Every structure is written in structure tokens, then in C-alpha cells.
């Protein structure tokens, strides 16, 4: 069965983006970049793949999920499909049509949709963001991969933007880099 993987960058204080949805305060240089490209090549946006020499088939992920706010970060830059090498699902209850024919607009319950996706054949499913969608799908997340950056944001969009409902995750692997970034992989653990 396919897994839902929440692979996301976070500040030390738990923010995945600034209040406006921007995430350009996360360092885009350092010794962690090569490791991320090697381990998660599918998560490199299409418009950066050629420049970074990423020309490999999808290894572990073939579908990406985004909430409207996350999607609109790219849309403001004229990017209607940041991941053309993946099946793209955009979750929004207010949009009436997708800005790109290769991006599937989903206005139904995200939990039901993810459960349906998990039953389908394919590679894992990447929850790209944002915090509200992550909160809505928290019960379906199988793996949480946090790129913990050495940055304190102070305010912004939290990793999970929902109700207070403590849930245990078990740390499976951790790696630190000279850049100060830590790559933490968790699986759902016992409560």
C-alpha cells in the first residue's frame, strides 16, 4: 500500500513558511543540497531540475498534494505546475477550476481522497504543504520527513495548522549537515 509522506522544510520554531507563504528564508546552499537531491529527486521542482542536473525517473514518489496557499506561491511567479514529473492534486474548496490542465483540483474531503489514492497502484504520495492541509491529513500521514533548518522565523505558517491533538511519531533516522540543517525522518508511533 502506498504511504503518505509529509516531506517539508521547517524552521527551528516550527514554521514551514512566512505569514505570506514564502519560504525563501530557508538556505538553498550547503552540503545538505546534494543529499536531498540524491534521496528525494522527485521533490525538485521542474524548473530547477535541468539546472541541477536532475534527470532521473521517480524513485519513491509519483504524486504530490498541495493546499491552495502552497500552490499560489508558485502561481504568483507564473508557475502553474511546479512538478510536471508528478501527478499533481490541488486541494481547495473555493477554487472553481484549476489554473493548469495537468493539476487536478480536488474540492472533496482530503482524507477520503488520500485513502482512495493509497489504495491505487503507484509510488508513495508526497504531502508538499501547507499547514492546514497537513492538519486535515494528519491521521493519514505515514512518514514525516522534516528538513529542520537553523533558522528561527518567529511567525508564519506552522508545520500543522490545526487543533491541539498530540500524536506520537517515532524517530527512525536523523542526519545533520555542516550547513546546520538536520534531516529527521519519523514514522507514526504508539500514543
Amino acid at each position: 500500500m502506498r504511504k503518505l509522506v509529509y516531506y517539508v522544510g521547517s524552521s527551528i520554531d516550527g514554521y514551514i513558511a512566512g505569514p505570506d507563504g514564502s519560504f525563501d528564508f530557508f538556505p538553498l546552499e550547503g552540503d545538505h543540497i546534494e543529499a536531498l537531491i540524491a534521496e528525494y529527486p522527485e521533490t525538485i521542482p521542474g524548473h530547477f531540475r535541468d539546472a541541477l542536473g536532475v534527470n532521473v525517473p521517480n524513485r519513491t514518489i509519483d504524486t504530490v498534494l498541495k493546499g491552495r496557499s502552497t500552490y499560489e506561491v508558485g502561481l504568483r511567479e507564473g508557475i502553474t505546475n511546479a512538478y510536471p514529473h508528478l501527478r499533481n492534486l490541488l486541494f481547495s474548496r473555493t477554487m472553481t477550476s484549476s489554473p493548469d490542465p495537468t493539476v487536478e483540483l480536488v474540492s472533496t474531503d482530503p482524507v477520503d481522497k488520500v485513502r482512495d489514492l493509497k489504495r491505487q497502484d503507484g509510488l508513495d504520495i508526497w504531502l508538499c504543504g501547507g499547514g492546514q492541509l497537513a492538519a486535515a491529513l494528519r491521521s493519514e500521514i505515514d512518514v514525516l520527513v522534516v528538513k529542520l533548518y537553523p533558522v528561527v522565523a518567529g511567525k508564519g505558517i506552522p508545520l500543522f495548522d490545526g487543533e491541539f491533538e498530540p500524536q506520537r511519531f517515532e524517530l527512525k533516522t536523523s542526519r545533520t549537515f555542516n550547513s546546520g540543517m538536520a534531516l529527521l525522518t519519523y514514522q507514526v508511533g504508539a500514543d
Side-chain angles (χ1 to χ4, degrees), residues 34-178:
E34 189 175 314
L36 295 179
I37 291 171
E39 293 178 40
Y40 301 98
E42 302 93 339
T43 65
I44 306 301
H47 54 285
F48 288 132
R49 290 171 73 86
D50 286 340
L52 295 172
V54 178
N55 188 17
V56 296
N58 297 336
R59 290 182 338 165
T60 61
I61 296 167
D62 65 6
T63 303
V64 60
L65 313 179
K66 292 183 188 177
R68 180 179 180 159
S69 295
T70 300
Y71 179 77
E72 286 181 342
V73 171
L75 193 59
R76 286 193 296 267
E77 301 297 322
I79 300 167
T80 59
N81 184 349
Y83 303 97
H85 51 285
L86 301 173
R87 178 181 175 192
N88 283 255
L89 282 79
L90 166 59
F91 288 82
S92 174
R93 295 187 192 274
T94 57
M95 294 177 78
T96 57
S97 64
S98 173
D100 189 298
T102 63
V103 176
E104 184 181 333
L105 183 62
V106 181
S107 59
T108 57
D109 179 44
V111 171
D112 290 341
K113 184 64 176 179
V114 166
R115 287 178 180 165
D116 180 53
L117 289 169
K118 284 181 171 185
R119 287 189 293 270
Q120 296 173 15
D121 288 335
L123 300 175
D124 288 339
I125 305 155
W126 172 30
L127 172 55
C128 180
Q132 290 179 355
L133 183 58
L137 291 173
R138 191 166 66 168
S139 65
E140 294 302 311
I141 295 172
D142 301 294
V143 178
L144 172 60
V145 180
V146 179
K147 300 173 286 183
L148 189 63
Y149 290 99
V151 173
V152 172
K155 187 175 183 183
I157 298 170
L159 198 63
F160 291 92
D161 192 2
E163 300 298 320
F164 179 76
E165 297 176 38
Q167 178 183 6
R168 296 275 317 240
F169 282 79
E170 180 182 345
L171 182 65
K172 298 307 274 183
T173 64
S174 65
R175 286 176 63 190
T176 56
F177 297 88
N178 292 333

